[in-house]
mmCIF file of all heavy atoms in Angstrom:
data_model
loop_
_atom_site.group_PDB
_atom_site.id
_atom_site.type_symbol
_atom_site.label_atom_id
_atom_site.label_comp_id
_atom_site.label_asym_id
_atom_site.label_seq_id
_atom_site.Cartn_x
_atom_site.Cartn_y
_atom_site.Cartn_z
ATOM 1 N N LEU A 1 0.368 22.800 9.067
ATOM 2 C CA LEU A 1 -0.383 21.731 8.421
ATOM 3 C C LEU A 1 0.547 20.813 7.637
ATOM 4 O O LEU A 1 0.426 19.582 7.686
ATOM 5 C CB LEU A 1 -1.440 22.343 7.497
ATOM 6 C CG LEU A 1 -2.374 21.394 6.747
ATOM 7 C CD1 LEU A 1 -3.142 20.511 7.719
ATOM 8 C CD2 LEU A 1 -3.349 22.188 5.895
ATOM 9 N N HIS A 2 1.492 21.390 6.911
ATOM 10 C CA HIS A 2 2.420 20.583 6.126
ATOM 11 C C HIS A 2 3.276 19.691 7.023
ATOM 12 O O HIS A 2 3.510 18.513 6.704
ATOM 13 C CB HIS A 2 3.306 21.485 5.274
ATOM 14 C CG HIS A 2 4.132 20.740 4.273
ATOM 15 N ND1 HIS A 2 3.584 19.993 3.263
ATOM 16 C CD2 HIS A 2 5.477 20.610 4.130
ATOM 17 C CE1 HIS A 2 4.545 19.435 2.541
ATOM 18 N NE2 HIS A 2 5.688 19.799 3.048
ATOM 19 N N ARG A 3 3.723 20.228 8.130
ATOM 20 C CA ARG A 3 4.519 19.436 9.060
ATOM 21 C C ARG A 3 3.718 18.241 9.583
ATOM 22 O O ARG A 3 4.221 17.130 9.701
ATOM 23 C CB ARG A 3 4.978 20.315 10.232
ATOM 24 C CG ARG A 3 5.915 19.602 11.210
ATOM 25 C CD ARG A 3 6.343 20.531 12.325
ATOM 26 N NE ARG A 3 5.218 20.921 13.153
ATOM 27 C CZ ARG A 3 5.308 21.767 14.179
ATOM 28 N NH1 ARG A 3 6.476 22.341 14.457
ATOM 29 N NH2 ARG A 3 4.250 22.069 14.900
ATOM 30 N N LYS A 4 2.431 18.485 9.872
ATOM 31 C CA LYS A 4 1.567 17.410 10.352
ATOM 32 C C LYS A 4 1.383 16.342 9.275
ATOM 33 O O LYS A 4 1.419 15.139 9.557
ATOM 34 C CB LYS A 4 0.212 17.988 10.752
ATOM 35 C CG LYS A 4 -0.771 16.969 11.306
ATOM 36 C CD LYS A 4 -0.329 16.431 12.654
ATOM 37 C CE LYS A 4 -1.396 15.549 13.282
ATOM 38 N NZ LYS A 4 -1.052 15.111 14.640
ATOM 39 N N ILE A 5 1.174 16.769 8.028
ATOM 40 C CA ILE A 5 0.980 15.827 6.931
ATOM 41 C C ILE A 5 2.224 14.962 6.735
ATOM 42 O O ILE A 5 2.119 13.748 6.540
ATOM 43 C CB ILE A 5 0.631 16.584 5.626
ATOM 44 C CG1 ILE A 5 -0.795 17.137 5.718
ATOM 45 C CG2 ILE A 5 0.760 15.683 4.410
ATOM 46 C CD1 ILE A 5 -1.195 17.996 4.544
ATOM 47 N N LEU A 6 3.398 15.554 6.780
ATOM 48 C CA LEU A 6 4.628 14.780 6.635
ATOM 49 C C LEU A 6 4.751 13.732 7.730
ATOM 50 O O LEU A 6 5.152 12.590 7.488
ATOM 51 C CB LEU A 6 5.844 15.715 6.670
ATOM 52 C CG LEU A 6 6.051 16.624 5.460
ATOM 53 C CD1 LEU A 6 7.274 17.513 5.678
ATOM 54 C CD2 LEU A 6 6.212 15.804 4.195
ATOM 55 N N ARG A 7 4.368 14.105 8.945
ATOM 56 C CA ARG A 7 4.422 13.169 10.061
ATOM 57 C C ARG A 7 3.456 12.010 9.852
ATOM 58 O O ARG A 7 3.801 10.842 10.042
ATOM 59 C CB ARG A 7 4.100 13.918 11.354
ATOM 60 C CG ARG A 7 5.152 13.685 12.422
ATOM 61 C CD ARG A 7 5.057 14.541 13.648
ATOM 62 N NE ARG A 7 3.766 15.022 14.034
ATOM 63 C CZ ARG A 7 3.525 16.271 14.397
ATOM 64 N NH1 ARG A 7 4.490 17.168 14.337
ATOM 65 N NH2 ARG A 7 2.342 16.650 14.796
ATOM 66 N N LEU A 8 2.211 12.349 9.465
ATOM 67 C CA LEU A 8 1.199 11.316 9.272
ATOM 68 C C LEU A 8 1.542 10.415 8.091
ATOM 69 O O LEU A 8 1.320 9.199 8.145
ATOM 70 C CB LEU A 8 -0.168 11.963 9.043
ATOM 71 C CG LEU A 8 -0.795 12.676 10.246
ATOM 72 C CD1 LEU A 8 -2.071 13.380 9.832
ATOM 73 C CD2 LEU A 8 -1.072 11.688 11.372
ATOM 74 N N ALA A 9 2.073 11.007 7.023
ATOM 75 C CA ALA A 9 2.434 10.213 5.849
ATOM 76 C C ALA A 9 3.544 9.222 6.186
ATOM 77 O O ALA A 9 3.526 8.073 5.731
ATOM 78 C CB ALA A 9 2.868 11.130 4.711
ATOM 79 N N THR A 10 4.499 9.653 6.986
ATOM 80 C CA THR A 10 5.576 8.759 7.408
ATOM 81 C C THR A 10 5.029 7.624 8.254
ATOM 82 O O THR A 10 5.408 6.456 8.086
ATOM 83 C CB THR A 10 6.637 9.541 8.201
ATOM 84 O OG1 THR A 10 7.172 10.578 7.375
ATOM 85 C CG2 THR A 10 7.762 8.625 8.656
ATOM 86 N N GLN A 11 4.115 7.951 9.155
ATOM 87 C CA GLN A 11 3.502 6.918 9.995
ATOM 88 C C GLN A 11 2.704 5.931 9.161
ATOM 89 O O GLN A 11 2.781 4.727 9.357
ATOM 90 C CB GLN A 11 2.587 7.572 11.035
ATOM 91 C CG GLN A 11 3.319 8.386 12.090
ATOM 92 C CD GLN A 11 2.377 9.201 12.955
ATOM 93 O OE1 GLN A 11 1.157 9.090 12.856
ATOM 94 N NE2 GLN A 11 2.939 10.052 13.795
ATOM 95 N N ASP A 12 1.950 6.449 8.189
ATOM 96 C CA ASP A 12 1.141 5.588 7.317
ATOM 97 C C ASP A 12 2.020 4.638 6.522
ATOM 98 O O ASP A 12 1.734 3.448 6.398
ATOM 99 C CB ASP A 12 0.315 6.436 6.352
ATOM 100 C CG ASP A 12 -0.978 6.918 6.978
ATOM 101 O OD1 ASP A 12 -1.175 6.658 8.183
ATOM 102 O OD2 ASP A 12 -1.788 7.551 6.280
ATOM 103 N N ALA A 13 3.114 5.188 5.968
ATOM 104 C CA ALA A 13 3.996 4.369 5.144
ATOM 105 C C ALA A 13 4.642 3.271 5.967
ATOM 106 O O ALA A 13 4.737 2.120 5.543
ATOM 107 C CB ALA A 13 5.066 5.247 4.497
ATOM 108 N N THR A 14 5.079 3.617 7.176
ATOM 109 C CA THR A 14 5.706 2.628 8.043
ATOM 110 C C THR A 14 4.721 1.536 8.426
ATOM 111 O O THR A 14 5.028 0.352 8.402
ATOM 112 C CB THR A 14 6.239 3.305 9.323
ATOM 113 O OG1 THR A 14 7.191 4.294 8.960
ATOM 114 C CG2 THR A 14 6.898 2.283 10.237
ATOM 115 N N ALA A 15 3.495 1.948 8.768
ATOM 116 C CA ALA A 15 2.480 0.980 9.200
ATOM 117 C C ALA A 15 2.077 0.047 8.064
ATOM 118 O O ALA A 15 1.965 -1.173 8.246
ATOM 119 C CB ALA A 15 1.251 1.711 9.729
ATOM 120 N N THR A 16 1.865 0.589 6.880
ATOM 121 C CA THR A 16 1.403 -0.242 5.779
ATOM 122 C C THR A 16 2.490 -1.166 5.265
ATOM 123 O O THR A 16 2.208 -2.299 4.872
ATOM 124 C CB THR A 16 0.880 0.624 4.619
ATOM 125 O OG1 THR A 16 1.861 1.578 4.260
ATOM 126 C CG2 THR A 16 -0.394 1.337 5.009
ATOM 127 N N LYS A 17 3.728 -0.710 5.274
ATOM 128 C CA LYS A 17 4.815 -1.575 4.825
ATOM 129 C C LYS A 17 4.959 -2.777 5.735
ATOM 130 O O LYS A 17 5.312 -3.868 5.305
ATOM 131 C CB LYS A 17 6.133 -0.788 4.771
ATOM 132 C CG LYS A 17 6.222 0.164 3.579
ATOM 133 C CD LYS A 17 7.524 0.918 3.561
ATOM 134 C CE LYS A 17 7.573 1.854 2.364
ATOM 135 N NZ LYS A 17 8.811 2.649 2.310
ATOM 136 N N ALA A 18 4.674 -2.612 7.006
ATOM 137 C CA ALA A 18 4.807 -3.709 7.949
ATOM 138 C C ALA A 18 3.584 -4.613 7.941
ATOM 139 O O ALA A 18 3.648 -5.739 8.405
ATOM 140 C CB ALA A 18 5.028 -3.157 9.355
ATOM 141 N N ALA A 19 2.463 -4.108 7.394
ATOM 142 C CA ALA A 19 1.203 -4.816 7.566
ATOM 143 C C ALA A 19 0.877 -5.800 6.450
ATOM 144 O O ALA A 19 0.335 -6.862 6.696
ATOM 145 C CB ALA A 19 0.063 -3.809 7.722
ATOM 146 N N LEU A 20 1.157 -5.450 5.194
ATOM 147 C CA LEU A 20 0.732 -6.288 4.082
ATOM 148 C C LEU A 20 1.520 -7.591 4.006
ATOM 149 O O LEU A 20 2.738 -7.605 4.111
ATOM 150 C CB LEU A 20 0.881 -5.530 2.754
ATOM 151 C CG LEU A 20 -0.049 -4.351 2.505
ATOM 152 C CD1 LEU A 20 0.137 -3.843 1.085
ATOM 153 C CD2 LEU A 20 -1.497 -4.722 2.743
ATOM 154 N N SER A 21 0.782 -8.656 3.771
ATOM 155 C CA SER A 21 1.431 -9.965 3.623
ATOM 156 C C SER A 21 1.931 -10.117 2.188
ATOM 157 O O SER A 21 1.491 -9.405 1.285
ATOM 158 C CB SER A 21 0.433 -11.076 3.929
ATOM 159 O OG SER A 21 -0.533 -11.177 2.894
ATOM 160 N N PRO A 22 2.849 -11.066 1.943
ATOM 161 C CA PRO A 22 3.338 -11.276 0.572
ATOM 162 C C PRO A 22 2.218 -11.575 -0.417
ATOM 163 O O PRO A 22 2.240 -11.101 -1.554
ATOM 164 C CB PRO A 22 4.284 -12.468 0.724
ATOM 165 C CG PRO A 22 4.774 -12.379 2.140
ATOM 166 C CD PRO A 22 3.581 -11.886 2.916
ATOM 167 N N ARG A 23 1.220 -12.379 -0.005
ATOM 168 C CA ARG A 23 0.113 -12.702 -0.894
ATOM 169 C C ARG A 23 -0.751 -11.474 -1.189
ATOM 170 O O ARG A 23 -1.250 -11.301 -2.308
ATOM 171 C CB ARG A 23 -0.750 -13.806 -0.290
ATOM 172 C CG ARG A 23 -0.243 -15.216 -0.533
ATOM 173 C CD ARG A 23 -0.112 -15.492 -2.013
ATOM 174 N NE ARG A 23 -0.094 -16.908 -2.308
ATOM 175 C CZ ARG A 23 0.218 -17.430 -3.483
ATOM 176 N NH1 ARG A 23 0.559 -16.626 -4.474
ATOM 177 N NH2 ARG A 23 0.196 -18.733 -3.688
ATOM 178 N N GLU A 24 -0.934 -10.601 -0.208
ATOM 179 C CA GLU A 24 -1.688 -9.369 -0.422
ATOM 180 C C GLU A 24 -0.962 -8.462 -1.410
ATOM 181 O O GLU A 24 -1.581 -7.847 -2.285
ATOM 182 C CB GLU A 24 -1.926 -8.652 0.905
ATOM 183 C CG GLU A 24 -2.923 -9.379 1.808
ATOM 184 C CD GLU A 24 -2.916 -8.879 3.237
ATOM 185 O OE1 GLU A 24 -1.978 -8.138 3.605
ATOM 186 O OE2 GLU A 24 -3.848 -9.238 3.981
ATOM 187 N N VAL A 25 0.357 -8.411 -1.296
ATOM 188 C CA VAL A 25 1.165 -7.628 -2.229
ATOM 189 C C VAL A 25 1.047 -8.200 -3.635
ATOM 190 O O VAL A 25 0.866 -7.473 -4.619
ATOM 191 C CB VAL A 25 2.643 -7.597 -1.784
ATOM 192 C CG1 VAL A 25 3.521 -6.982 -2.867
ATOM 193 C CG2 VAL A 25 2.797 -6.820 -0.477
ATOM 194 N N ASP A 26 1.136 -9.528 -3.755
ATOM 195 C CA ASP A 26 1.021 -10.180 -5.066
ATOM 196 C C ASP A 26 -0.330 -9.877 -5.707
ATOM 197 O O ASP A 26 -0.417 -9.548 -6.898
ATOM 198 C CB ASP A 26 1.186 -11.698 -4.921
ATOM 199 C CG ASP A 26 2.608 -12.107 -4.563
ATOM 200 O OD1 ASP A 26 3.530 -11.292 -4.773
ATOM 201 O OD2 ASP A 26 2.781 -13.228 -4.069
ATOM 202 N N ALA A 27 -1.388 -9.986 -4.910
ATOM 203 C CA ALA A 27 -2.743 -9.782 -5.429
ATOM 204 C C ALA A 27 -2.920 -8.355 -5.941
ATOM 205 O O ALA A 27 -3.416 -8.140 -7.055
ATOM 206 C CB ALA A 27 -3.769 -10.090 -4.346
ATOM 207 N N LEU A 28 -2.506 -7.377 -5.157
ATOM 208 C CA LEU A 28 -2.659 -5.985 -5.574
ATOM 209 C C LEU A 28 -1.789 -5.661 -6.783
ATOM 210 O O LEU A 28 -2.194 -4.909 -7.676
ATOM 211 C CB LEU A 28 -2.318 -5.039 -4.423
ATOM 212 C CG LEU A 28 -3.291 -5.010 -3.232
ATOM 213 C CD1 LEU A 28 -2.859 -3.931 -2.240
ATOM 214 C CD2 LEU A 28 -4.723 -4.769 -3.686
ATOM 215 N N THR A 29 -0.591 -6.225 -6.823
ATOM 216 C CA THR A 29 0.313 -5.968 -7.948
ATOM 217 C C THR A 29 -0.287 -6.468 -9.256
ATOM 218 O O THR A 29 -0.305 -5.754 -10.275
ATOM 219 C CB THR A 29 1.674 -6.642 -7.716
ATOM 220 O OG1 THR A 29 2.269 -6.107 -6.522
ATOM 221 C CG2 THR A 29 2.609 -6.387 -8.889
ATOM 222 N N LEU A 30 -0.789 -7.695 -9.247
ATOM 223 C CA LEU A 30 -1.367 -8.263 -10.467
ATOM 224 C C LEU A 30 -2.635 -7.517 -10.894
ATOM 225 O O LEU A 30 -2.865 -7.303 -12.092
ATOM 226 C CB LEU A 30 -1.657 -9.747 -10.252
ATOM 227 C CG LEU A 30 -0.401 -10.630 -10.084
ATOM 228 C CD1 LEU A 30 -0.787 -12.044 -9.682
ATOM 229 C CD2 LEU A 30 0.416 -10.638 -11.378
ATOM 230 N N LEU A 31 -3.439 -7.124 -9.926
ATOM 231 C CA LEU A 31 -4.630 -6.332 -10.253
ATOM 232 C C LEU A 31 -4.234 -4.981 -10.832
ATOM 233 O O LEU A 31 -4.884 -4.470 -11.753
ATOM 234 C CB LEU A 31 -5.492 -6.144 -9.009
ATOM 235 C CG LEU A 31 -6.241 -7.386 -8.507
ATOM 236 C CD1 LEU A 31 -6.861 -7.105 -7.136
ATOM 237 C CD2 LEU A 31 -7.327 -7.807 -9.502
ATOM 238 N N ALA A 32 -3.171 -4.395 -10.304
ATOM 239 C CA ALA A 32 -2.703 -3.100 -10.793
ATOM 240 C C ALA A 32 -2.257 -3.177 -12.248
ATOM 241 O O ALA A 32 -2.354 -2.192 -12.984
ATOM 242 C CB ALA A 32 -1.555 -2.589 -9.918
ATOM 243 N N PHE A 33 -1.789 -4.344 -12.667
ATOM 244 C CA PHE A 33 -1.365 -4.522 -14.050
ATOM 245 C C PHE A 33 -2.543 -4.764 -14.989
ATOM 246 O O PHE A 33 -2.353 -4.957 -16.188
ATOM 247 C CB PHE A 33 -0.367 -5.669 -14.161
ATOM 248 C CG PHE A 33 1.053 -5.259 -13.876
ATOM 249 C CD1 PHE A 33 1.667 -5.619 -12.691
ATOM 250 C CD2 PHE A 33 1.767 -4.492 -14.784
ATOM 251 C CE1 PHE A 33 2.976 -5.243 -12.421
ATOM 252 C CE2 PHE A 33 3.073 -4.100 -14.522
ATOM 253 C CZ PHE A 33 3.680 -4.473 -13.335
ATOM 254 N N GLY A 34 -3.762 -4.771 -14.444
ATOM 255 C CA GLY A 34 -4.939 -4.861 -15.292
ATOM 256 C C GLY A 34 -5.533 -6.244 -15.446
ATOM 257 O O GLY A 34 -6.485 -6.437 -16.211
ATOM 258 N N HIS A 35 -5.009 -7.223 -14.717
ATOM 259 C CA HIS A 35 -5.563 -8.570 -14.789
ATOM 260 C C HIS A 35 -6.897 -8.624 -14.051
ATOM 261 O O HIS A 35 -7.100 -7.925 -13.054
ATOM 262 C CB HIS A 35 -4.596 -9.588 -14.180
ATOM 263 C CG HIS A 35 -3.271 -9.663 -14.887
ATOM 264 N ND1 HIS A 35 -3.146 -10.081 -16.193
ATOM 265 C CD2 HIS A 35 -2.014 -9.369 -14.466
ATOM 266 C CE1 HIS A 35 -1.865 -10.042 -16.540
ATOM 267 N NE2 HIS A 35 -1.159 -9.607 -15.517
ATOM 268 N N SER A 36 -7.810 -9.456 -14.530
ATOM 269 C CA SER A 36 -9.088 -9.644 -13.843
ATOM 270 C C SER A 36 -8.879 -10.488 -12.591
ATOM 271 O O SER A 36 -7.826 -11.124 -12.420
ATOM 272 C CB SER A 36 -10.086 -10.352 -14.764
ATOM 273 O OG SER A 36 -9.668 -11.695 -14.991
ATOM 274 N N ARG A 37 -9.882 -10.504 -11.733
ATOM 275 C CA ARG A 37 -9.774 -11.318 -10.521
ATOM 276 C C ARG A 37 -9.615 -12.798 -10.858
ATOM 277 O O ARG A 37 -8.852 -13.511 -10.200
ATOM 278 C CB ARG A 37 -10.994 -11.098 -9.623
ATOM 279 C CG ARG A 37 -11.042 -9.703 -9.024
ATOM 280 C CD ARG A 37 -11.996 -9.630 -7.864
ATOM 281 N NE ARG A 37 -12.015 -8.297 -7.267
ATOM 282 C CZ ARG A 37 -12.349 -8.054 -6.005
ATOM 283 N NH1 ARG A 37 -12.716 -9.040 -5.211
ATOM 284 N NH2 ARG A 37 -12.344 -6.822 -5.533
ATOM 285 N N ALA A 38 -10.337 -13.243 -11.875
ATOM 286 C CA ALA A 38 -10.229 -14.651 -12.270
ATOM 287 C C ALA A 38 -8.812 -14.973 -12.744
ATOM 288 O O ALA A 38 -8.246 -16.022 -12.401
ATOM 289 C CB ALA A 38 -11.240 -14.958 -13.373
ATOM 290 N N GLN A 39 -8.235 -14.057 -13.516
ATOM 291 C CA GLN A 39 -6.864 -14.269 -14.004
ATOM 292 C C GLN A 39 -5.862 -14.267 -12.858
ATOM 293 O O GLN A 39 -4.941 -15.090 -12.826
ATOM 294 C CB GLN A 39 -6.511 -13.178 -15.016
ATOM 295 C CG GLN A 39 -7.254 -13.276 -16.332
ATOM 296 C CD GLN A 39 -7.021 -12.072 -17.225
ATOM 297 O OE1 GLN A 39 -6.901 -10.936 -16.744
ATOM 298 N NE2 GLN A 39 -6.964 -12.297 -18.532
ATOM 299 N N VAL A 40 -6.041 -13.336 -11.906
ATOM 300 C CA VAL A 40 -5.119 -13.253 -10.768
ATOM 301 C C VAL A 40 -5.211 -14.521 -9.920
ATOM 302 O O VAL A 40 -4.192 -15.077 -9.490
ATOM 303 C CB VAL A 40 -5.424 -12.005 -9.911
ATOM 304 C CG1 VAL A 40 -4.602 -12.024 -8.627
ATOM 305 C CG2 VAL A 40 -5.140 -10.734 -10.707
#
């Protein structure tokens, strides 16, 4: 099970790093810092 999880986690990380656009990264980063949607 652990071997499978490591494989899937690596695949997920690779896929998501390639998928998010710069604006999507900016939006999530600012929201993560606690800013409201209006502020972001």
